[in-house]
Amino acid sequence: MDNLLQHGIAVFKSGNKEEARKLFISFIKKNSQSERGWEWMYNVSLNNKERLYCLKQILHINPSNKKAKQLLHQ
């Protein structure tokens, strides 16, 4: 796993969602096909529009992602 993503996850778990969001955005810009990156980006999305976009990206990368499908249909 990329160090930037690992760092973002650690920052997220420490409670600093704003900083984690910046790190996940940087990671996604370099790794747009990272299903895991989009999953973490979903966790720091600011609104439903962003969450929906993340879910669509996850399903574009992996159409059989059950969790993303379930969240999309809620």
Side-chain angles (χ1 to χ4, degrees):
M1 185 176 7
D2 187 279
N3 286 340
L4 189 57
L5 183 59
Q6 286 179 326
H7 183 58
I9 293 168
V11 170
F12 176 84
K13 288 181 177 179
S14 76
N16 190 345
K17 287 186 178 182
E18 188 175 318
E19 183 62 26
R21 178 179 166 78
K22 292 176 189 175
L23 293 165
F24 294 144
I25 289 170
S26 294
F27 176 79
I28 289 295
K29 284 182 180 179
K30 296 176 186 173
N31 303 278
S32 64
Q33 294 299 306
S34 171
E35 181 178 359
R36 188 164 164 114
W38 283 109
E39 289 171 345
W40 280 102
M41 191 64 213
Y42 174 88
N43 290 318
V44 294
S45 293
L46 299 176
N47 55 50
N48 286 336
K49 185 177 178 181
E50 284 185 8
R51 282 186 277 280
L52 181 63
Y53 184 78
C54 292
L55 291 173
K56 287 181 177 181
Q57 292 302 312
I58 293 165
L59 291 171
H60 176 74
I61 295 164
N62 178 7
S64 54
N65 184 309
K66 290 179 183 177
K67 186 174 181 179
K69 281 183 186 179
Q70 180 183 18
L71 290 168
L72 187 63
H73 293 292
Q74 285 183 351

